[in-house]
Amino acid sequence: LILMVLTIGCKREKKLNCTSVTITNTAPTCAGWGIIVNGQKYPSLNIPDQFKQNGLNVCTAFEYYEDLRLCACCGGTYIEILSMQIN
């Protein structure tokens, strides 16, 4: 019975909320790509290539995370893209 409950729990899909953001190639990171959320630029290392167009408005689900790497253009709050689509 416990195994069945765990199996059912693992099969639930995470519902992702979509937020309208703008793609930018001037984010504060070595790669330069990121998104603008409520006027604030956040770098992202996993923007799909087909969306790497400066100024493109997209709807995306994302999570914030802290980059703990130590380099000249690393560190700070980054965005991990969970899903992305054209508005």
Side-chain angles (χ1 to χ4, degrees):
L1 181 62
I2 293 174
L3 182 58
M4 187 173 80
V5 171
L6 290 175
T7 303
I8 292 170
C10 291
K11 290 184 179 180
R12 286 187 188 165
E13 289 187 25
K14 194 178 191 181
K15 186 174 181 181
L16 303 175
N17 291 326
C18 181
T19 302
S20 183
V21 301
T22 304
I23 302 292
T24 182
N25 64 355
T26 61
T29 180
C30 296
W33 288 102
I35 63 174
I36 302 171
V37 181
N38 296 324
Q40 179 72 35
K41 291 181 185 179
Y42 294 97
S44 178
L45 300 175
N46 69 330
I47 295 174
D49 287 340
Q50 67 265 29
F51 295 105
K52 287 184 177 177
Q53 300 173 37
N54 195 44
L56 180 67
N57 291 315
V58 296
C59 193
T60 186
F62 61 87
E63 293 179 341
Y64 297 97
Y65 71 94
E66 290 301 314
D67 180 20
L68 303 177
R69 295 176 298 164
L70 298 173
C71 66
C73 52
C74 300
T77 303
Y78 274 60
I79 295 265
E80 179 180 0
I81 304 298
L82 304 175
S83 70
M84 187 173 278
Q85 62 190 34
I86 300 287
N87 276 347

